[in-house]
Amino acid sequence: ENRDIKSLLSSDSAIGNQVTVRGWVRSRRDSKAGISFIHLYDGSCFDPIQAVVPDTLSNYQQDVLKITTGCAVEISGVLSESAGKGQSCEIQASAVTVMGWVDDPDTYPIAKKRHTFEYLRQVAHLRPRTNAFGAISRVRTTLSSAIHRYFHERGYHWVNTPIITASDCEGAGEMFRVSTLDLANLPRATDGSVDFEEDFFGREAFLTVSGQLNAEAYALALSKVYTFGPTFRAENSNTSRHLAEFWMVEPEVAFADLNDNAALAEDFLKYIFRAVLEERPDDMAFFAQRVDKGAIERLESVVQSDFEYMDYADAIDILRNSGESFVFPVEWGLDLQSEHEQYLAEKHVGRPVILMNYPASIKAFYMRMNDDGETVAAMDVLAPGIGEIIGGSQREERLDVLDRRIAELGIQGDMGWYRDLRRYGTVPHSGFGMGFERVVNYVTGMENIRDAIPFPRTPKHAPF
Ligand code: 4AD
Ligand code: MG
C-alpha cells in the first residue's frame, strides 16, 4: 500500500498494516543497539514520519548507513504505534531502497541546520525541502483552494483574463513590454547583440498589471465573476512588499456598490483565513513557533471580529492628530504611505481596516466619482503588519463621467471596447484585487514577500 505520510500520521486505522512511503530524508540517527532512525518527509504534512531500521536488513551496511539528509528513499514496513514522544506512529522498516543519493553530502545546500531566509532565496530550487517552505507551499495550496471554493459556492464564474494586453489598467505606467522574437532567425547586429521587434506582431503589447478591465466585461454578462492569475508590475522598488510578478484574485460583481464590495472583501478574507486555521494547524503551529509568535491568535481574532470601516478623510485626521512623526507628509489629497497604513491598522485599530472614498486625484481612472466631485468610491483593505492587501472600487458606469476622467488623465490606448460596456446595458458594478502573496505573508507572519512565492521576480533576483 503506497501512502502519503499525512494519511498515515492522521489516522490510526493503518496501524498493523504493511505500508510503503516515499520521500526525502530529513535526518538519520544510529543507535548503539544496531538500529537506525530515519525521518522521512514527502510534503503532504508538516511532520516527517519515523522509520525504525534494524541492522538485519541485507543492505544495512551498504546503503542505510550511507543515507544522508536529502536522499530520496522508499521505505516499506509495518506501521506501528510509536513509543517516542510527539510521534503517533512509526514504520518498522523491512526494506529501504535508496532512489536518489545526495552527490556530496558535505556541500548539500540544505543540510539539516537552520538557514536564514536570505540564504535560502539563493537556493530557491532547493528551499521547498525546508520546513518553512514546505509549510508556506501548503498554506498557498490551502488558500488557493479556499479562494476557488468560496466563489464557486456563491455562484461566481472563474474568468481567465489575458496576460498579454494593450491596456494599462492602473494607469501607473508600470508595464513590461511584450515583443516578438524570431529565435530561428535572430538578426544580430555587428556587435553580436540581438535585434528584435519592440512589439507584438506589429502592435504595442504588455504584460497585464490587472485582469480587472476584462473581468468587468464578463461581470456585465455573467453577473458574478473572479479572476485568479499572475499579474506583472515593472516597479523598480526593492521592498519587502513588492514583486515584479505576483498573483492576484479579482472578483467583479454587477449590481454591487462600494458597501457591497467592502462586505464581500471582509467575508472573503475571513473565509480563507478560517480555512488555513482549520486545515493547516500543523503548519500554523510552526509559524507561531519559529516566525511570528502571535500568528495563530491574530488570525483567530481577525476571523471573529468586525473589520473597521473608515473614510479616507477621517484617516487623515487621525494621522495628523496621532503625534507620530512620519517620514512622509500627511495631508488631504496625498496618497498614504506604508508607514501611515501601518499606523492605522496596527496601532490605531489593531484589526484590518477598510479605508474608503479616496481623493480622485490619487486613484485610477475607472473608479466611480462620488457626488462631492472630489472623491471616488475606492477602498483599500489595510492589514496590521502588512498594510494594503486589497485595493478595489465601485466602477464608473456613467459614460459621460468616464469619458471626462479618461480625457483628464490622458489615458492612452483603445478604450473603445471598455466604453462599449457603458454604452450597452451598463449597470453599477464593483470589484477588488487581493494580492495573493501579501495575504500569504499576513497569514504566516513571514516578513519578506520574496518568501511568499516559489520563485520571486524582483529587480535584484535574476529569473531562473
Ligand atoms: O491596488 P491595486 O493596484 O489594484 C488593482 O490592480 C485593481 N485593478 C484591482 C481591482 O480592483 N480588480 O492592486 C491590488 C492588490 C494590492 O492591494 C496588493 O495587495 C497587490 O495587488 N499588489 C502587489 N503585490 C505584490 N507586489 C506588487 N508589486 C503589488 N502591487 C499590488
Ligand atoms: Mg492599490
Side-chain angles (χ1 to χ4, degrees):
E1 206 185 354
N2 237 319
R3 299 279 294 264
D4 69 25
I5 292 169
K6 179 186 173 151
S7 74
L8 295 181
L9 293 181
S10 62
S11 93
D12 45 19
S13 64
I15 288 196
N17 288 8
Q18 177 78 19
V19 296
T20 297
V21 291
R22 292 165 174 175
W24 292 265
V25 172
R26 188 144 275 152
S27 65
R28 191 198 89 224
R29 188 167 59 78
D30 309 312
S31 80
K32 293 211 180 73
I35 294 174
S36 293
F37 299 94
I38 291 176
H39 283 188
L40 194 74
Y41 67 96
D42 64 3
S44 59
C45 58
F46 185 82
D47 286 322
I49 196 165
Q50 171 162 288
V52 182
V53 188
D55 62 0
T56 49
L57 294 196
S58 60
N59 64 342
Y60 187 80
Q61 296 291 333
Q62 188 198 327
D63 290 339
V64 175
L65 288 182
K66 290 181 193 147
I67 287 173
T68 57
T69 302
C71 284
V73 302
E74 179 181 271
I75 299 177
S76 298
V78 172
L79 194 71
S80 65
E81 253 167 84
S82 174
K85 272 193 295 209
Q87 314 243 8
S88 56
C89 56
E90 61 192 17
I91 296 174
Q92 302 298 329
S94 51
V96 174
T97 312
V98 179
M99 303 173 87
W101 289 101
V102 164
D103 265 4
D104 178 4
D106 293 334
T107 59
Y108 180 53
I110 314 280
K112 202 186 170 290
K113 70 181 172 81
R114 281 194 212 176
H115 300 288
T116 66
F117 292 129
E118 213 152 36
Y119 165 77
L120 290 174
R121 268 169 236 148
Q122 294 160 25
V123 285
H125 58 303
L126 294 171
R127 68 179 183 170
R129 298 180 178 201
T130 63
N131 276 331
F133 286 88
I136 293 165
S137 302
R138 284 183 295 273
V139 166
R140 275 184 76 101
T141 300
T142 295
L143 282 169
S144 305
S145 82
I147 286 163
H148 285 296
R149 210 164 56 234
Y150 179 87
F151 290 124
H152 292 178
E153 282 170 357
R154 288 159 184 76
Y156 285 66
H157 302 281
W158 183 24
V159 179
N160 304 117
T161 49
I163 286 169
I164 298 173
T165 182
S167 37
D168 181 3
C169 176
E170 294 308 296
E174 293 170 338
M175 309 220 283
F176 290 106
R177 182 187 289 279
V178 175
S179 26
T180 46
L181 185 62
D182 181 355
L183 282 175
N185 294 297
L186 281 185
R188 290 201 181 258
T190 40
D191 66 355
S193 67
V194 178
D195 191 17
F196 59 89
E197 297 291 323
E198 286 210 353
D199 59 30
F200 178 81
F201 305 113
R203 288 200 287 166
E204 244 190 352
F206 307 92
L207 295 179
T208 192
V209 297
S210 159
Q212 177 198 321
L213 304 185
N214 301 90
E216 282 185 59
Y218 270 68
L220 294 177
L222 302 178
S223 300
K224 296 195 279 188
V225 303
Y226 72 102
T227 74
F228 186 3
T231 49
F232 308 85
R233 305 248 168 136
E235 291 175 275
N236 197 355
S237 49
N238 277 295
T239 78
S240 59
R241 310 183 324 132
H242 292 90
L243 290 164
E245 177 181 299
F246 62 99
W247 286 65
M248 197 162 21
V249 179
E250 299 184 89
E252 191 69 33
V253 186
F255 316 106
D257 66 12
L258 188 65
N259 289 324
D260 300 326
N261 205 28
L264 176 67
E266 178 172 354
D267 190 53
F268 169 68
L269 285 173
K270 287 178 175 171
Y271 181 97
I272 63 175
F273 293 164
R274 211 177 289 124
V276 175
L277 288 169
E278 281 167 12
E279 296 167 30
R280 298 261 54 106
D282 52 348
D283 295 318
M284 286 308 294
F286 167 79
F287 291 119
Q289 198 189 358
R290 288 288 172 81
V291 176
D292 177 2
K293 249 202 200 132
I296 295 173
E297 288 77 17
R298 183 184 61 230
L299 218 50
E300 282 172 346
S301 92
V302 164
V303 164
Q304 283 154 17
S305 53
D306 293 336
F307 289 15
E308 178 88 7
Y309 289 49
M310 192 188 285
D311 241 54
Y312 167 89
D314 296 331
I316 294 295
D317 287 344
I318 289 167
L319 291 167
R320 289 181 70 91
N321 297 326
S322 67
E324 297 274 314
S325 48
F326 296 114
V327 177
F328 291 93
V330 180
E331 204 178 299
W332 197 98
L334 297 182
D335 208 356
L336 297 185
Q337 302 297 321
S338 174
E339 56 175 346
H340 308 133
E341 297 178 345
Q342 302 281 356
Y343 176 83
L344 289 170
E346 192 153 357
K347 288 208 187 148
H348 187 74
V349 178
R351 280 173 290 125
V353 176
I354 305 191
L355 215 56
M356 298 162 133
N357 300 315
Y358 285 72
S361 55
I362 55 169
K363 288 291 181 183
F365 76 96
Y366 54 73
M367 297 189 179
R368 191 178 197 277
M369 187 60 74
N370 287 329
D371 292 343
D372 60 15
E374 283 196 318
T375 59
V376 286
M379 61 168 218
D380 277 4
V381 179
L382 313 179
I386 302 269
E388 179 188 341
I389 54 172
I390 279 180
S393 67
Q394 183 168 345
R395 319 307 189 185
E396 186 54 75
E397 86 283 13
R398 301 160 296 189
L399 185 62
D400 55 332
V401 185
L402 181 69
D403 279 345
R404 229 168 27 238
R405 290 285 287 160
I406 289 176
E408 268 168 26
L409 297 174
I411 304 295
Q412 303 290 313
D414 172 22
M415 297 307 291
W417 70 270
Y418 190 69
R419 293 180 70 254
D420 271 358
L421 302 174
R422 277 72 185 165
R423 295 174 62 207
Y424 308 127
T426 189
V427 296
H429 60 289
S430 302
F432 62 78
M434 181 195 87
F436 188 63
E437 284 72 24
R438 291 213 185 151
V439 165
V440 169
N441 274 14
Y442 181 61
V443 165
T444 59
M446 294 291 296
E447 272 174 18
N448 197 312
I449 199 161
R450 288 163 205 174
D451 300 327
I453 191 163
F455 296 96
R457 271 81 181 93
T458 65
K460 289 221 173 117
H461 281 81
F464 75 97

